Amino acid sequence: MKKFIFKTNNSWTGTILRWTIGIVFIPHGLQKTLGWFDGMGFKKTMSFFTENVHLPGMVAFTVILIEFVGSILLLLGLGTRLWALSFIGLLTGIMLTTHLENGFFMNWFGTQKGEGCQFDILAIGIVVTLLIEGGGKLSVDQWISHRNNMHKD
């Protein structure tokens, strides 16, 4: 199992995709944990998720954890496949519980009740590719995998 988590293709594909997801989601994680970018911070976000969205506390905490810690570790390329799987669950949950009811398209012009599932599908495609490819070049996963292969002899 450990071998699968850290194994990665030696290509730029994983690097570009994990940096893309990391850059897109780290501001969301910072909003939810530290209140940056006009966010609510951890305590208010937990309260909003549990009281308004009616998520169980553990699910609310997991959402925040994935968006904050997961984004940072994807940027570094540490446990890429594990975090990709986590983002697949996160994005599927958001799409099915919140965005799908608003249709397909994103709410570019503010004419819909909320966001559609277009972004979720795009982001799921990216993280599924990371699940298959791994973290790629310049990842901690690559360093760990290379180091483990050197010590096999």
Side-chain angles (χ1 to χ4, degrees):
M1 184 68 161
K2 185 171 112 177
K3 199 177 225 183
F4 173 75
I5 291 173
F6 296 113
K7 187 176 187 289
T8 182
N9 289 338
N10 189 26
S11 73
W12 288 102
T13 304
T15 309
I16 293 166
L17 293 177
R18 69 182 166 77
W19 286 352
T20 300
I21 287 293
I23 289 168
V24 167
F25 275 94
I26 191 67
H28 293 277
L30 290 168
Q31 285 178 319
K32 290 173 178 71
T33 55
L34 303 178
W36 294 6
F37 306 107
D38 296 321
M40 294 188 284
F42 182 77
K43 188 175 179 182
K44 287 182 183 176
T45 300
M46 281 293 291
S47 178
F48 175 78
F49 280 166
T50 56
E51 295 170 20
N52 296 56
V53 183
H54 306 293
L55 293 177
M58 195 61 186
V59 173
F61 178 77
T62 302
V63 167
I64 296 168
L65 178 79
I66 292 169
E67 288 189 13
F68 181 62
V69 176
S71 295
I72 293 168
L73 293 180
L74 280 177
L75 288 169
L76 296 172
L78 178 58
T80 301
R81 285 192 164 97
L82 176 67
W83 289 108
L85 193 59
S86 299
F87 271 94
I88 290 168
L90 172 75
L91 291 161
T92 301
I94 292 169
M95 181 173 61
L96 295 175
T97 62
T98 307
H99 294 164
L100 196 59
E101 67 190 35
N102 298 317
F104 177 74
F105 294 101
M106 292 175 62
N107 194 12
W108 290 105
F109 305 108
T111 56
Q112 298 171 193
K113 181 182 158 209
E115 296 295 337
C117 62
Q118 186 176 28
F119 172 81
D120 303 314
I121 293 168
L122 180 63
I124 288 169
I126 290 172
V127 291
V128 165
T129 305
L130 283 173
L131 186 63
I132 295 166
E133 293 286 314
K137 292 184 179 287
L138 304 178
S139 67
V140 177
D141 291 345
Q142 183 187 41
W143 180 81
I144 291 170
S145 183
H146 177 71
R147 187 160 168 80
N148 286 342
N149 286 335
M150 285 179 56
H151 294 293
K152 275 186 174 178
D153 301 331

